[in-house]
Structure formats: C-alpha cells, structure tokens
Amino acid sequence: FCQSIRIRLLAVDEAHCVFQWGQDFRPDYLAIADFIDRLPERPVVAAFTATATPETRTGIIRNLRLRDPLSAAAGFDRPNLFFDRRRVNGKTERTEYVIDYARRHPGEGGIVYCMSRDRTEELAEALKDAGVNAEYFHARMDETRKTRVQDGFLNDDIDVITATTAFGMGVDKPDVRWVINDSVPSSMEEYYQEAGRAGRDGQPATCTLLWSEFDFELHRRRIRDSVGTALADENDRKRAKEAALARSRAMERYCDASACLRGQILRYFGDRPESASCGACGYCTRRQAAADVRSRTDGHGGRAPSRTVVVESMVVDPQLKTRIAAYVRNIYAEQGHGYGVAKIVNAIQGSRSLNVTGCGLDRVDGYGSAPHATSAQIRAAVKQLLSDGVLVHGEHKALEPVDPTARPRTS
C-alpha cells in the first residue's frame, strides 16, 4: 500500500525506542529506517520524544538515518514542580508515608507509582482502610474496570490512584497535585516521565521519591538476568547491560546527592541549571532552613532556641576527594573490584587491622594517604564523589571508579 501512495510526512513518536542502548528500546523500531528507504520517494521524517538525553538524541538520528536533521529541544525544567526524596526502610515505612501524605492532602488528586501489580492492590487497600478515596490500576485489569477507574480519576470521583507505569499513557489530568514513587524507577527518564504527570496545569505540585538500597540491588539483579536478551550479538548485550547500569547509577546519585535535586535532573538531560540552588526542592529548602536556624542561633548569644535541631553541612577538602578517588581507582586497577565505604575509610586512614591488610589494601598506592581525616570527613567526601559521578556503587555497594581506565592521580 505504501508503495502506491505519496507519503509527505512520516512521524515517529516515542523515538527514543529506536536507541538500542536506551531505556525503552524496541527492536521493531530499528526497521523504520529500512521502511523509509524502500519508499518510492523519501518523505520528511520527524522524530518526537519527551525524555531524551544528548546520547539518545544522537542515537535517534543515527538509527533512523535522518538526513541533515533540524534538532529542536525544549527545556526540561518544570519550575512549578517541587522535587523531594525520602529514604525508607521496608514496605511498612513506605506504606505509612503514603497514607500520611494522602491524609494530609485530602481531596487532592495524587498518583502513587508502584513496581508491581500486587503492590498497587495492597497499597490501595491500605489507603482505603485509612479513609482515603483510592483505587488501583494496572495492565492486568479488565478493560471495563480500567475505564471506570480512569474516568473516576479524571472526573474527581477518585482522589488517589496506585498504579504501575501502565497508568498515565493517554490519561491527561492537568490538576494532579502530587506524585509519589513507592520505589525507585530504573532510570531518570522513567522517573521524570512519571513525576511529570503532576502539575500540568502549571500550578504547584510535589514529586516525592521513596528509596532504599534494596531498590538498587533489585535493579542490578534484573539487569544481570534480563537486560539485552532481545539482542543477538554478545557485544550488543554487554553494552545494553552497561547502559542500564549507568541509568541505575544516575538514579542512585540522585537519591544520595548532596546537591540541588532539580540541578541533578537538568544536567542528566543535558540542560544547564540557572543556579546551584533552585530554592524549590527538598535539598535546597532544607539547606536554607538549616541556614536560617544558624542565623537565628547567632542572634541568641550562641544558644539555639528551644526545640530546634541544627544540622551543619560539612565542608569537604578537595584534596581529600582527589586522594580517595585515586585510591579507589588504584584498587580497581590492581584487584579488578572495589570495596565498601567502611573498608575504604579504614584503609585510607592507614589502619593495620586484618580487615584491611587481609585483602591487600595496605599494598595499594594511596593506602594511609589521609591519616588525619576523620571517618565523617571521608564519608562526606565519598558521598560527594558519588554525587559528582566520579565514583559509583557496584555490586554489594562496593565503591568503583566511573571510568576505570582513567589515570590515577595522587596528591
């Protein structure tokens, strides 16, 4: 049929699916370029995506074989969205947080994204038991129930939806006031797409990510067992796994960052934040609150007002960060793997404990290079190196260099 008509424009929606190392790669998308080449006359080709990093944009152009394309990218910043994250321990704490938040925002439209169908049903039941007007949504529901739940949410008959990622496609409710991710999505692309369903009317909305280290253990296990299985070439499968690990590590840096959350998101997608502090995310507002408390404390003769807790931010010595990064690289270069933070802290302080010497860390260049640094200072420096993307967590939270081939530096 397509050979017999003149196609003037061919539009590829969700174009990021053509990038084989990307979040949502679909092998069928790779056939689009061949389809275009077989047409009697080449049409104008337009590719659209809402969440593409600079690398993904390059992959789209290459895999669709676009000719001299005009690339137009709108900014990723959504100023009306307040981003926050909260570390939780176990399912009970997650459930309690969601229930408490929903009860403190009665009548507001909210979405809770869950990792499994069972979790959507379990959480919806817990919310209803707590008096919240909630329903669940996932792909295994029959179409009649799906329609009823979707329409009920759009018409404000249902306040809260607990859902898998199946909810949201084609559902455009502009006044969603909050989105909570019950666990960590596998990538920043997935997270920003889900969080971005809040506040589409331009009014203030809140996006909160609940996370634990176990979330990332699950990610690594899934990547090891299933990512890249649709690819025939072994090198392609390996690269797909590496790309998936890189996306998971970006989410881990976001969760553990000692920096503006909005800035983390914008930099990931290739945008440049206007300032180091947005003033409208959990990190920036808590940092400002701590500064305000310190200011008020200074006005009380050095004594803090009653019922106030002051949390000071720790200044990290750049040379200490350099020494830690170099030591971790040297360990990886010599032994092919990393170690947990506690062992690195002891080793770089020069500990002679069997825990350090038994695995040869005392024989690696950089051992004992920070003998006067406190454990808290070293941990703060490690946290910044993780946030900066210099180090990453590997298997079992072992510290590893992002680029193992980088030449180690000492100071």
Side-chain angles (χ1 to χ4, degrees), residues 297-342:
T297 301
D298 291 342
H300 283 75
R303 292 180 292 107
S306 61
R307 301 179 63 82
T308 298
V309 177
V310 180
V311 180
E312 296 286 351
S313 58
M314 182 173 292
V315 177
V316 176
D317 179 3
Q319 286 193 351
L320 177 59
K321 290 171 62 177
T322 300
R323 289 170 184 163
I324 294 170
Y327 186 47
V328 171
R329 288 195 197 101
N330 290 335
I331 292 170
Y332 197 89
E334 291 192 20
Q335 301 188 8
H337 59 82
Y339 292 92
V341 176

Side-chain angles (χ1 to χ4, degrees), residues 81-85 101 177-181 191 194-198 205-209 254:
L81 298 186
F82 181 94
F83 292 99
D84 204 359
R85 75 261 153 107
Y101 192 95
R177 293 274 64 86
W178 54 270
V179 170
I180 295 175
N181 282 81
Y191 174 61
E194 292 173 358
R197 298 205 167 102
T206 301
C207 310
T208 306
L209 173 61
Y254 177 82

Side-chain angles (χ1 to χ4, degrees), residues 98 102 110-114 119-120 123 127 137 160-164 178-183 210:
V98 172
I111 304 173
V112 185
Y113 280 106
C114 306
R119 177 61 174 163
T120 66
L123 191 52
L127 284 164
F137 185 100
V160 178
I161 297 289
T162 61
T164 59
W178 54 270
V179 170
I180 295 175
N181 282 81
D182 181 57
S183 57
L210 306 183

Side-chain angles (χ1 to χ4, degrees), residues 7 26 38 57 72 78 90 100 137 145 173 210-211 231 258 288 290 336 359:
I7 299 175
R26 301 177 191 174
R38 289 196 300 269
R57 294 171 215 164
R78 298 272 304 280
D100 179 65
F137 185 100
R145 181 176 172 81
K173 181 177 172 63
L210 306 183
W211 71 281
L231 298 168
S258 297
Q288 183 59 50
C359 51

Side-chain angles (χ1 to χ4, degrees), residues 98-364:
V98 172
I99 290 174
D100 179 65
Y101 192 95
R103 293 179 69 175
R104 285 188 290 109
H105 297 81
E108 293 186 1
I111 304 173
V112 185
Y113 280 106
C114 306
M115 290 296 288
S116 70
R117 294 185 295 270
D118 288 345
R119 177 61 174 163
T120 66
E121 297 183 13
E122 172 189 6
L123 191 52
E125 192 64 31
L127 284 164
K128 285 191 274 192
D129 288 346
V132 178
N133 181 14
E135 292 288 348
Y136 65 84
F137 185 100
H138 56 68
R140 291 288 178 87
M141 293 164 52
D142 64 72
E143 293 303 320
T144 301
R145 181 176 172 81
K146 282 183 184 178
T147 300
R148 181 177 64 80
V149 172
Q150 284 182 351
D151 290 348
F153 188 59
L154 290 172
N155 296 328
D156 296 329
D157 296 325
I158 298 171
D159 292 335
V160 178
I161 297 289
T162 61
T164 59
T165 54
F167 186 77
M169 298 297 182
V171 178
D172 186 14
K173 181 177 172 63
D175 59 344
V176 174
R177 293 274 64 86
W178 54 270
V179 170
I180 295 175
N181 282 81
D182 181 57
S183 57
V184 180
S186 60
S187 70
M188 188 66 75
E189 291 91 334
E190 183 180 343
Y191 174 61
Y192 202 52
Q193 189 172 57
E194 292 173 358
R197 298 205 167 102
R200 291 187 174 180
D201 57 1
Q203 297 303 308
T206 301
C207 310
T208 306
L209 173 61
L210 306 183
W211 71 281
S212 72
E213 293 181 359
F214 182 66
D215 292 328
F216 296 104
E217 290 292 339
L218 286 178
H219 286 181
R220 287 188 281 269
R221 191 182 311 159
R222 182 189 61 81
I223 291 167
R224 183 178 63 245
D225 295 343
S226 62
V227 167
T229 54
L231 298 168
D233 184 78
E234 182 178 349
N235 288 331
D236 286 349
R237 290 195 296 271
K238 181 179 179 182
R239 187 170 174 184
K241 289 182 185 295
E242 290 172 350
L245 278 172
R247 290 192 294 271
S248 178
R249 286 165 178 163
M251 286 304 305
E252 194 164 4
R253 289 195 297 273
Y254 177 82
C255 290
D256 209 29
S258 297
C260 172
L261 301 183
R262 188 181 308 278
Q264 292 275 312
I265 294 171
L266 295 181
R267 279 189 289 271
Y268 179 84
F269 287 111
D271 274 8
R272 178 174 294 181
E274 292 183 359
S275 65
S277 174
C278 72
C281 74
Y283 176 82
C284 292
T285 54
R286 279 189 281 273
R287 185 181 178 89
Q288 183 59 50
D292 291 345
V293 169
R294 289 196 294 273
S295 177
R296 291 197 299 272
T297 301
D298 291 342
H300 283 75
R303 292 180 292 107
S306 61
R307 301 179 63 82
T308 298
V309 177
V310 180
V311 180
E312 296 286 351
S313 58
M314 182 173 292
V315 177
V316 176
D317 179 3
Q319 286 193 351
L320 177 59
K321 290 171 62 177
T322 300
R323 289 170 184 163
I324 294 170
Y327 186 47
V328 171
R329 288 195 197 101
N330 290 335
I331 292 170
Y332 197 89
E334 291 192 20
Q335 301 188 8
H337 59 82
Y339 292 92
V341 176
K343 192 165 289 189
I344 295 297
V345 169
N346 291 334
I348 206 164
Q349 287 176 325
S351 170
R352 298 297 303 172
S353 69
L354 184 61
N355 186 42
V356 171
T357 60
C359 51
L361 289 180
D362 58 325
R363 297 189 295 275
V364 178

Side-chain angles (χ1 to χ4, degrees), residues 36 41 92 118 123 145 351 365-366 378 410:
I36 295 170
E41 180 181 344
T92 299
D118 288 345
L123 191 52
R145 181 176 172 81
S351 170
D365 186 27
I378 297 171
T410 56

